[in-house]
């Protein structure tokens, strides 16, 4: 990061439960009603710290729309805030 710049939104660990197909079924205690979109991002593959994530745009039972991602190398889930 460039000196003097501040990161706006760092990903936060997320309590995602998945269904048998690996797709999010709940975020914490809130059920996923719909997966609106999913996509994979692979970036910085030329560096010592490549980025590999699978993102999901979710509609939750309580009406919220949110984006989570799974860090593919570690398997950990994160909440992506805008």
């Amino acid at each position: 990061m460039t000196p003097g710049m501040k990161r706006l939104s760092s990903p936060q660990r997320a309590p995602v439960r998945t269904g048998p197909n690996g797709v999010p079924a709940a975020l914490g205690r809130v059920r996923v009603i719909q997966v609106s979109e999913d996509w994979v991002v692979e970036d910085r593959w030329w560096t010592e710290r490549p980025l590999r994530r699978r993102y999901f745009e979710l509609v939750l039972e309580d009406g919220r729309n949110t984006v989570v991602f799974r860090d593919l190398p570690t398997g950990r889930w994160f909440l992506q805030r805008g």
Side-chain angles (χ1 to χ4, degrees):
M1 191 177 316
T2 305
M5 293 188 76
K6 181 180 173 185
R7 185 181 298 248
L8 292 177
S9 178
S10 295
Q12 305 283 320
R13 288 290 301 266
V16 174
R17 287 185 313 212
T18 60
N21 56 0
V23 173
L27 178 59
R29 295 181 178 180
V30 183
R31 193 167 61 97
V32 172
I33 298 298
Q34 178 182 346
V35 175
S36 301
E37 190 174 356
D38 72 285
W39 65 98
V40 174
V41 172
E42 295 191 59
D43 197 10
R44 300 189 302 216
W45 50 267
W46 61 92
T47 71
E48 292 180 21
R49 293 182 48 171
L51 182 111
R52 293 187 65 233
R53 296 174 175 174
R54 184 170 181 200
Y55 284 83
F56 295 88
E57 184 176 348
L58 309 174
V59 178
L60 303 177
E61 188 174 41
D62 63 7
R64 289 181 292 157
N65 294 321
T66 193
V67 175
V68 296
F69 69 85
R70 182 171 182 247
D71 180 71
L72 295 175
T74 66
R76 293 184 183 133
W77 286 94
F78 295 88
L79 186 61
Q80 182 71 53
R81 299 193 191 272

